[in-house]
Amino acid sequence: MNQKSNFYAVSAVVMLGILVGLSLFTFSYAQGASYLSDDPNACVNCHVMREQFDGWNRGSHQAVAVCNDCHTPHTFPQKWIVKGINGFNHSWAFTTGNFPNTIQIKSFNAQVAEDNCIDCHETMAINVHGSGDKETLSCVACHGNVGHGR
Amino acid sequence: NINQRKQEAVQFPLKVVEIAAGELDPAVWGLNFPSQYDSFKRTQENYGETPYGGSEPYSKLERYPAMIRLWAGYAFSKDHNEERGHYYAQIDQENTQRVQIVNQPGACINCHAAEAPGLIAEMGWENFNHTPYNDLKDQLHFGSSCADCHDPVTMDLVITRPAFRNAMEQRGIDLSQATRQEMRSYVCAQCHVEYYFLGDNKVLTFPWSQGLTIDNIEAHYDSYGFTDWTHAETGAPMIKIQHPEFEMWSTGLHARSGVSCADCHMPYVRAGSVKVSDHWLRSPLVNVSQACQTCHNRPEEELTERILTIQNTTASLLRQSEEAILAAIDAIVAAREAGVTDAELEEALLLHRGASLRWDFVSSENSTGFHSPQESARILAESINLARQAELAAYKLQAGK
Amino acid sequence: NINQRKQEAVQFPLKVVEIAAGELDPAVWGLNFPSQYDSFKRTQENYGETPYGGSEPYSKLERYPAMIRLWAGYAFSKDHNEERGHYYAQIDQENTQRVQIVNQPGACINCHAAEAPGLIAEMGWENFNHTPYNDLKDQLHFGSSCADCHDPVTMDLVITRPAFRNAMEQRGIDLSQATRQEMRSYVCAQCHVEYYFLGDNKVLTFPWSQGLTIDNIEAHYDSYGFTDWTHAETGAPMIKIQHPEFEMWSTGLHARSGVSCADCHMPYVRAGSVKVSDHWLRSPLVNVSQACQTCHNRPEEELTERILTIQNTTASLLRQSEEAILAAIDAIVAAREAGVTDAELEEALLLHRGASLRWDFVSSENSTGFHSPQESARILAESINLARQAELAAYKLQAGK
Ligand SMILES: [Ca+2]
Ligand SMILES: [Ca+2]
């Protein structure tokens, strides 16, 4: 936890600068402003997110969770920092075209998603993550399909 | 109502009693963990046969009569049944003819009674192993118990059986570093593994010095000419393999993908508003929806069909392997009758040994190939190859007379 | 940049020319579909060897010298190379000694030249098949072409080769009802299948009357005693198997899970902002991220390791099977030399045939087991079993003299 908040603190400063720079290019054209909303349509603005969007539309969470419920932290200001980082990363990657053909979630974002599973399903999944410092089993190892399938 | 459920969850675990360090009675542990205990008790239920597994303890010797000759001269050829739920671990051992026609050592108790760790602490490791089973059996009352797998205070998974700890140490694996997911297989690997009794003290040992594949295990035994028994018909120095589930699983794709024994045999089930591990350990074939569907988003029939396709293929190769080994036995017996000497037969006998232990590795592994389909087929291919070569070698010797 | 991509997406497909019904030149089709054409052209590139596949056309006979004796008396024993990209389909056929030392029929052209459908329309099916290859070869200019797989107007996938249509009709499968996903394998099944030339007209035929497994295929050939050639050393009536990718794949889990050839060999790639099918058909081992990661969310190294584990296991069994068949050949030759007659050898020769066609089914299948790992191992187990029995039968006959 401690390490995490340190990370967020440093990132907050860095992001401030980057966000400013960002607005100068692609960001606004790719409807970057809508990136800051929670509307899944904001994500499909980039057609590379189309598969996930389609999957999510058919998936078990369509009615209960939007992209950002899983992909950004549920707390302030972490939510906005992560949005900033990813908003920048995605725009940058999209503009340069420098990203893998098959997008793979990075471990940082995978952790954000798993924390969110637990946030919503804490009661149900108490035995999976346990209490205290018990190692948590990876939700995605068994529930790889819930977000948008594969 | 919702409020109450949340509390249930928060209060978990709900401690009714303190569980003492040596407590073996599942009913006592069950006071704190009623839903795990409820499912644990169901290992007593007979849910029937699956095509190759299940909980009906039918005689394997009757169903696959080839086994009687394949194991000729060894107690397994007298009594060996399909295994069933953990509830019967001690009961079935006590009742098998294998403890009656042979004077078995205490080592047998390691995996069949919750009392084992206590007796080991009391008697010492070597002493426990070599003391006759019959001298100790009256002290055994609980077959399988929570204490086999859990620490009574933290409820963490723990290794309670020395043979597994020793074997892993020998391989340079530090069990204290095991992840939670690894422990979900390691607790099973205390018992669901190939074993033998080493030396005069009959010390329970796992033959893993060279690794976990059948070739590694054979090399381990060959390295010092170990023999379980002498084949009654051919005189070959034989190895018997028992339940190598952990070894077979570890060569398979599920293991390499991080899927543990508990994932399939103890899948999560809902109990009220929390999910708990299903402690009714059994065939996933009667539980496909919980055991497989969470990871494999496919219809139940399709998943069942996947298991059966793999098993039918394995079974057809098992039958071919049995046929080949029986032919080898016949040829060796005929050669002996024609006057071929033991010394001349040496190569044929070693081929018989190699063929038989490979067949046994797949035959005695309880998933009928499912835990590692390609590897099971590979092993049987080699078994058949060796058996036919044994037959040929014996025939050549006979023709030479 | 983003602006350009958005437009690309909207305007696709961009029609520059009308493509005429008989148009074979990929460059013309490429005017309308430049990115597919660009990747299609890359089938000319040599991306090197993979452990068992790849595009380096090394001599298989040099790498696996056992093949020379296993195919003794058949043209394959003179010249057979690792196959490479579609660009070479016509070139490699024209240059192989197999069309020089033997007077091959036009039937060979079916899968190696874009001109085949046109010639068939012109000459008639039977006539095309039996006309000598050498009489027709000067009319062949394009090896593989878009027209092999696509309708020029709709760009839909279409079946252009009669042999596949005939074989499916015989099995009662109505190709007009095929789903799009099925078509993504069916277009490949026009060529990547076991075949033979039926009757005096050398009609290209797929041996599928009983089904697609090797046992079914053997039953098809046995049902009327078909023979590709007579083995030069043993005199056995042999069957040669060629590239049964479609048949092998169809016994595997990917097929049963609905995964098509194109999913792995033509994965979608980004071209600008649209996804197009990669027309550089090649080994997925040099393309794991696109070929596998869409479905298997695992690191590249792990997926590569999965392929190689399966292939190494298959390869080790292939070598054992070769060894066993060679031993059988030796034994049959020795028996003949000792005066055993053809009639007496009949059983041994049929065993030789059965062992060899099974080995060939796995050996000539170009995925080295990957398309169906357990089935490949099963087939090799049976090949070994039959080969050793042939050896024994021959030896017994020899000893009887
Ligand atoms: Ca059972
Ligand atoms: Ca190749």
Side-chain angles (χ1 to χ4, degrees), chain C residues 242-279:
Chain C
Q242 292 91 193
H243 36 72
E245 277 88 62
F246 177 69
E247 297 91 328
M248 186 68 95
W249 162 85
S250 68
T251 66
L253 189 50
H254 279 110
R256 279 182 283 137
S257 307
V259 182
S260 72
C261 313
D263 287 336
C264 298
H265 291 284
M266 304 183 69
Y268 287 112
V269 285
R270 257 182 296 114
S273 61
V274 292
K275 291 220 167 183
V276 299
S277 300
D278 187 348
H279 280 62

CSV table of all heavy atoms in Angstrom, one decimal, chain C residues 242-279:
chain,number,residue,atom,x,y,z
C,242,GLN,N,0.6,-38.1,-48.1
C,242,GLN,CA,1.2,-36.8,-48.3
C,242,GLN,C,0.4,-35.7,-47.5
C,242,GLN,O,-0.9,-35.7,-47.5
C,242,GLN,CB,1.2,-36.4,-49.7
C,242,GLN,CG,2.1,-37.1,-50.6
C,242,GLN,CD,1.4,-38.4,-51.2
C,242,GLN,OE1,2.1,-39.2,-51.8
C,242,GLN,NE2,0.1,-38.5,-51.2
C,243,HIS,N,1.1,-34.8,-46.9
C,243,HIS,CA,0.5,-33.6,-46.2
C,243,HIS,C,-1.0,-33.7,-45.7
C,243,HIS,O,-1.8,-32.9,-46.2
C,243,HIS,CB,0.7,-32.4,-47.1
C,243,HIS,CG,0.6,-32.6,-48.6
C,243,HIS,ND1,-0.6,-32.9,-49.2
C,243,HIS,CD2,1.5,-32.6,-49.5
C,243,HIS,CE1,-0.4,-33.0,-50.5
C,243,HIS,NE2,0.8,-32.9,-50.7
C,244,PRO,N,-1.3,-34.6,-44.8
C,244,PRO,CA,-2.7,-34.6,-44.3
C,244,PRO,C,-2.9,-33.6,-43.2
C,244,PRO,O,-3.4,-34.0,-42.1
C,244,PRO,CB,-2.8,-36.1,-43.8
C,244,PRO,CG,-1.4,-36.4,-43.3
C,244,PRO,CD,-0.4,-35.6,-44.2
C,245,GLU,N,-2.6,-32.3,-43.5
C,245,GLU,CA,-2.8,-31.3,-42.5
C,245,GLU,C,-4.3,-31.2,-42.1
C,245,GLU,O,-4.7,-31.1,-40.9
C,245,GLU,CB,-2.3,-29.9,-43.0
C,245,GLU,CG,-0.9,-29.7,-42.8
C,245,GLU,CD,-0.1,-30.2,-44.0
C,245,GLU,OE1,-0.3,-29.7,-45.1
C,245,GLU,OE2,0.8,-31.1,-43.8
C,246,PHE,N,-5.2,-31.2,-43.1
C,246,PHE,CA,-6.6,-31.0,-42.8
C,246,PHE,C,-7.1,-32.1,-42.0
C,246,PHE,O,-7.9,-31.9,-41.0
C,246,PHE,CB,-7.4,-30.8,-44.1
C,246,PHE,CG,-8.9,-30.7,-43.9
C,246,PHE,CD1,-9.4,-29.6,-43.4
C,246,PHE,CD2,-9.7,-31.7,-44.3
C,246,PHE,CE1,-10.8,-29.4,-43.2
C,246,PHE,CE2,-11.1,-31.6,-44.2
C,246,PHE,CZ,-11.6,-30.5,-43.6
C,247,GLU,N,-6.8,-33.4,-42.3
C,247,GLU,CA,-7.3,-34.5,-41.6
C,247,GLU,C,-6.7,-34.6,-40.2
C,247,GLU,O,-7.5,-34.8,-39.2
C,247,GLU,CB,-6.8,-35.8,-42.3
C,247,GLU,CG,-7.4,-36.0,-43.8
C,247,GLU,CD,-6.5,-35.4,-44.8
C,247,GLU,OE1,-5.8,-34.4,-44.5
C,247,GLU,OE2,-6.5,-35.9,-46.0
C,248,MET,N,-5.5,-34.3,-40.0
C,248,MET,CA,-4.9,-34.3,-38.7
C,248,MET,C,-5.5,-33.2,-37.8
C,248,MET,O,-5.9,-33.4,-36.7
C,248,MET,CB,-3.4,-34.1,-38.8
C,248,MET,CG,-2.6,-34.3,-37.5
C,248,MET,SD,-2.7,-36.0,-36.8
C,248,MET,CE,-1.1,-36.5,-37.5
C,249,TRP,N,-5.5,-32.0,-38.4
C,249,TRP,CA,-6.1,-30.9,-37.7
C,249,TRP,C,-7.5,-31.2,-37.2
C,249,TRP,O,-7.9,-30.9,-36.1
C,249,TRP,CB,-6.1,-29.6,-38.6
C,249,TRP,CG,-7.1,-28.5,-38.2
C,249,TRP,CD1,-6.8,-27.5,-37.3
C,249,TRP,CD2,-8.4,-28.3,-38.7
C,249,TRP,NE1,-7.9,-26.7,-37.3
C,249,TRP,CE2,-8.9,-27.2,-38.1
C,249,TRP,CE3,-9.2,-29.0,-39.6
C,249,TRP,CZ2,-10.2,-26.7,-38.3
C,249,TRP,CZ3,-10.5,-28.5,-39.9
C,249,TRP,CH2,-10.9,-27.3,-39.2
C,250,SER,N,-8.3,-31.9,-38.1
C,250,SER,CA,-9.7,-32.1,-37.7
C,250,SER,C,-9.9,-33.1,-36.6
C,250,SER,O,-10.9,-33.2,-36.0
C,250,SER,CB,-10.5,-32.6,-38.9
C,250,SER,OG,-10.1,-33.9,-39.3
C,251,THR,N,-8.8,-33.9,-36.2
C,251,THR,CA,-8.9,-34.7,-35.0
C,251,THR,C,-8.5,-34.0,-33.7
C,251,THR,O,-8.6,-34.5,-32.6
C,251,THR,CB,-8.0,-36.0,-35.1
C,251,THR,OG1,-6.6,-35.5,-35.1
C,251,THR,CG2,-8.3,-36.8,-36.4
C,252,GLY,N,-8.0,-32.7,-33.9
C,252,GLY,CA,-7.4,-32.0,-32.7
C,252,GLY,C,-8.4,-31.1,-32.0
C,252,GLY,O,-9.5,-30.9,-32.4
C,253,LEU,N,-7.9,-30.6,-30.9
C,253,LEU,CA,-8.8,-29.8,-30.0
C,253,LEU,C,-9.0,-28.4,-30.7
C,253,LEU,O,-10.1,-27.8,-30.5
C,253,LEU,CB,-8.1,-29.6,-28.7
C,253,LEU,CG,-8.9,-29.0,-27.6
C,253,LEU,CD1,-10.2,-29.6,-27.4
C,253,LEU,CD2,-8.1,-29.1,-26.3
C,254,HIS,N,-8.0,-27.9,-31.4
C,254,HIS,CA,-8.3,-26.6,-32.0
C,254,HIS,C,-9.5,-26.7,-33.0
C,254,HIS,O,-10.4,-25.8,-33.0
C,254,HIS,CB,-7.1,-26.1,-32.8
C,254,HIS,CG,-6.1,-25.4,-31.9
C,254,HIS,ND1,-4.8,-26.0,-31.5
C,254,HIS,CD2,-6.1,-24.2,-31.2
C,254,HIS,CE1,-4.2,-25.2,-30.7
C,254,HIS,NE2,-4.9,-24.1,-30.5
C,255,ALA,N,-9.5,-27.7,-33.8
C,255,ALA,CA,-10.6,-27.9,-34.7
C,255,ALA,C,-11.9,-28.0,-34.0
C,255,ALA,O,-12.9,-27.4,-34.3
C,255,ALA,CB,-10.4,-29.1,-35.6
C,256,ARG,N,-11.9,-28.9,-32.9
C,256,ARG,CA,-13.1,-29.1,-32.2
C,256,ARG,C,-13.6,-27.8,-31.5
C,256,ARG,O,-14.7,-27.6,-31.1
C,256,ARG,CB,-13.0,-30.2,-31.2
C,256,ARG,CG,-13.1,-31.6,-31.9
C,256,ARG,CD,-13.0,-32.7,-30.9
C,256,ARG,NE,-11.6,-33.0,-30.6
C,256,ARG,CZ,-11.2,-33.2,-29.4
C,256,ARG,NH1,-12.0,-33.3,-28.3
C,256,ARG,NH2,-9.9,-33.5,-29.2
C,257,SER,N,-12.6,-26.9,-31.2
C,257,SER,CA,-12.9,-25.6,-30.6
C,257,SER,C,-13.2,-24.5,-31.7
C,257,SER,O,-13.4,-23.4,-31.4
C,257,SER,CB,-11.8,-25.1,-29.7
C,257,SER,OG,-11.4,-26.1,-28.8
C,258,GLY,N,-13.3,-24.9,-32.9
C,258,GLY,CA,-13.7,-24.0,-34.0
C,258,GLY,C,-12.6,-23.1,-34.5
C,258,GLY,O,-12.8,-22.1,-35.1
C,259,VAL,N,-11.3,-23.5,-34.2
C,259,VAL,CA,-10.2,-22.7,-34.7
C,259,VAL,C,-9.8,-23.1,-36.0
C,259,VAL,O,-9.5,-24.3,-36.2
C,259,VAL,CB,-9.0,-22.7,-33.7
C,259,VAL,CG1,-7.9,-21.8,-34.1
C,259,VAL,CG2,-9.5,-22.4,-32.3
C,260,SER,N,-9.7,-22.2,-37.0
C,260,SER,CA,-9.5,-22.6,-38.4
C,260,SER,C,-8.0,-22.4,-38.8
C,260,SER,O,-7.2,-21.8,-38.0
C,260,SER,CB,-10.3,-21.6,-39.3
C,260,SER,OG,-9.7,-20.3,-39.3
C,261,CYS,N,-7.6,-23.0,-39.9
C,261,CYS,CA,-6.2,-22.8,-40.4
C,261,CYS,C,-5.9,-21.3,-40.5
C,261,CYS,O,-4.8,-20.9,-40.1
C,261,CYS,CB,-6.1,-23.4,-41.8
C,261,CYS,SG,-6.8,-25.0,-42.1
C,262,ALA,N,-6.8,-20.5,-41.1
C,262,ALA,CA,-6.5,-19.1,-41.3
C,262,ALA,C,-6.3,-18.4,-40.0
C,262,ALA,O,-5.5,-17.5,-39.9
C,262,ALA,CB,-7.6,-18.5,-42.1
C,263,ASP,N,-6.9,-18.9,-38.9
C,263,ASP,CA,-6.7,-18.2,-37.6
C,263,ASP,C,-5.2,-18.2,-37.2
C,263,ASP,O,-4.8,-17.2,-36.6
C,263,ASP,CB,-7.5,-18.9,-36.5
C,263,ASP,CG,-9.0,-18.6,-36.6
C,263,ASP,OD1,-9.4,-17.6,-37.2
C,263,ASP,OD2,-9.8,-19.4,-36.1
C,264,CYS,N,-4.5,-19.3,-37.5
C,264,CYS,CA,-3.1,-19.3,-37.1
C,264,CYS,C,-2.2,-19.0,-38.2
C,264,CYS,O,-1.1,-18.5,-38.0
C,264,CYS,CB,-2.8,-20.8,-36.6
C,264,CYS,SG,-3.8,-21.2,-35.1
C,265,HIS,N,-2.5,-19.3,-39.4
C,265,HIS,CA,-1.6,-19.1,-40.5
C,265,HIS,C,-1.9,-17.8,-41.3
C,265,HIS,O,-1.1,-17.4,-42.2
C,265,HIS,CB,-1.6,-20.3,-41.5
C,265,HIS,CG,-1.0,-21.5,-40.9
C,265,HIS,ND1,0.3,-21.7,-40.7
C,265,HIS,CD2,-1.6,-22.7,-40.3
C,265,HIS,CE1,0.6,-22.9,-40.1
C,265,HIS,NE2,-0.6,-23.5,-39.9
C,266,MET,N,-3.0,-17.2,-41.0
C,266,MET,CA,-3.3,-15.9,-41.7
C,266,MET,C,-4.0,-15.0,-40.7
C,266,MET,O,-5.0,-14.4,-40.9
C,266,MET,CB,-4.3,-16.1,-42.8
C,266,MET,CG,-3.9,-17.1,-43.9
C,266,MET,SD,-5.0,-17.2,-45.3
C,266,MET,CE,-4.9,-15.6,-46.0
C,267,PRO,N,-3.3,-14.8,-39.5
C,267,PRO,CA,-3.9,-14.0,-38.5
C,267,PRO,C,-4.2,-12.5,-38.9
C,267,PRO,O,-3.5,-12.1,-39.8
C,267,PRO,CB,-2.9,-14.0,-37.3
C,267,PRO,CG,-1.6,-14.3,-38.0
C,267,PRO,CD,-1.9,-15.2,-39.2
C,268,TYR,N,-5.1,-11.9,-38.3
C,268,TYR,CA,-5.3,-10.5,-38.6
C,268,TYR,C,-4.2,-9.6,-38.2
C,268,TYR,O,-3.6,-9.9,-37.1
C,268,TYR,CB,-6.6,-10.0,-37.9
C,268,TYR,CG,-7.9,-10.5,-38.6
C,268,TYR,CD1,-8.7,-11.4,-37.9
C,268,TYR,CD2,-8.2,-10.1,-39.8
C,268,TYR,CE1,-9.8,-11.9,-38.5
C,268,TYR,CE2,-9.3,-10.6,-40.5
C,268,TYR,CZ,-10.2,-11.5,-39.8
C,268,TYR,OH,-11.3,-12.0,-40.4
C,269,VAL,N,-3.8,-8.7,-39.0
C,269,VAL,CA,-2.7,-7.8,-38.6
C,269,VAL,C,-3.3,-6.4,-38.9
C,269,VAL,O,-4.2,-6.2,-39.8
C,269,VAL,CB,-1.4,-8.0,-39.5
C,269,VAL,CG1,-0.7,-9.2,-38.9
C,269,VAL,CG2,-1.7,-8.1,-40.9
C,270,ARG,N,-2.7,-5.4,-38.2
C,270,ARG,CA,-3.1,-4.0,-38.5
C,270,ARG,C,-2.4,-3.5,-39.7
C,270,ARG,O,-1.2,-3.7,-39.9
C,270,ARG,CB,-2.7,-3.1,-37.3
C,270,ARG,CG,-3.9,-2.8,-36.4
C,270,ARG,CD,-3.4,-1.8,-35.3
C,270,ARG,NE,-2.4,-2.5,-34.4
C,270,ARG,CZ,-1.1,-2.1,-34.3
C,270,ARG,NH1,-0.7,-1.1,-35.0
C,270,ARG,NH2,-0.3,-2.7,-33.5
C,271,ALA,N,-3.2,-3.0,-40.7
C,271,ALA,CA,-2.6,-2.3,-41.8
C,271,ALA,C,-3.2,-0.9,-41.8
C,271,ALA,O,-4.3,-0.7,-42.1
C,271,ALA,CB,-2.9,-3.0,-43.1
C,272,GLY,N,-2.4,0.0,-41.3
C,272,GLY,CA,-2.9,1.3,-41.0
C,272,GLY,C,-3.9,1.1,-39.8
C,272,GLY,O,-3.5,0.6,-38.8
C,273,SER,N,-5.1,1.5,-40.0
C,273,SER,CA,-6.1,1.4,-38.9
C,273,SER,C,-7.1,0.3,-39.1
C,273,SER,O,-8.0,0.1,-38.3
C,273,SER,CB,-6.8,2.7,-38.7
C,273,SER,OG,-7.5,3.0,-39.9
C,274,VAL,N,-6.9,-0.5,-40.2
C,274,VAL,CA,-7.9,-1.6,-40.4
C,274,VAL,C,-7.1,-2.9,-40.1
C,274,VAL,O,-5.9,-3.0,-40.2
C,274,VAL,CB,-8.5,-1.7,-41.8
C,274,VAL,CG1,-9.4,-0.5,-42.0
C,274,VAL,CG2,-7.4,-1.7,-42.9
C,275,LYS,N,-7.9,-4.0,-39.9
C,275,LYS,CA,-7.3,-5.3,-39.7
C,275,LYS,C,-7.5,-6.0,-41.0
C,275,LYS,O,-8.5,-6.1,-41.5
C,275,LYS,CB,-8.0,-6.0,-38.5
C,275,LYS,CG,-7.6,-5.3,-37.2
C,275,LYS,CD,-7.4,-6.3,-36.1
C,275,LYS,CE,-6.8,-5.7,-34.9
C,275,LYS,NZ,-6.4,-6.6,-33.9
C,276,VAL,N,-6.4,-6.6,-41.4
C,276,VAL,CA,-6.4,-7.4,-42.7
C,276,VAL,C,-5.8,-8.8,-42.4
C,276,VAL,O,-5.1,-9.0,-41.4
C,276,VAL,CB,-5.7,-6.8,-43.8
C,276,VAL,CG1,-6.3,-5.4,-44.2
C,276,VAL,CG2,-4.2,-6.6,-43.5
C,277,SER,N,-6.2,-9.8,-43.2
C,277,SER,CA,-5.6,-11.1,-43.0
C,277,SER,C,-4.2,-11.1,-43.6
C,277,SER,O,-4.0,-10.7,-44.7
C,277,SER,CB,-6.5,-12.1,-43.8
C,277,SER,OG,-7.8,-12.1,-43.2
C,278,ASP,N,-3.3,-11.6,-42.8
C,278,ASP,CA,-1.9,-11.7,-43.2
C,278,ASP,C,-1.8,-12.8,-44.3
C,278,ASP,O,-2.0,-14.0,-44.0
C,278,ASP,CB,-1.0,-12.0,-42.0
C,278,ASP,CG,0.4,-12.0,-42.3
C,278,ASP,OD1,0.8,-11.9,-43.5
C,278,ASP,OD2,1.2,-12.0,-41.4
C,279,HIS,N,-1.5,-12.4,-45.5
C,279,HIS,CA,-1.4,-13.4,-46.6
C,279,HIS,C,-0.1,-14.0,-46.8
C,279,HIS,O,0.2,-14.7,-47.7
C,279,HIS,CB,-2.0,-12.8,-47.9
C,279,HIS,CG,-3.5,-12.8,-48.0
C,279,HIS,ND1,-4.3,-12.1,-47.1
C,279,HIS,CD2,-4.3,-13.4,-48.8
C,279,HIS,CE1,-5.5,-12.3,-47.4
C,279,HIS,NE2,-5.6,-13.1,-48.4
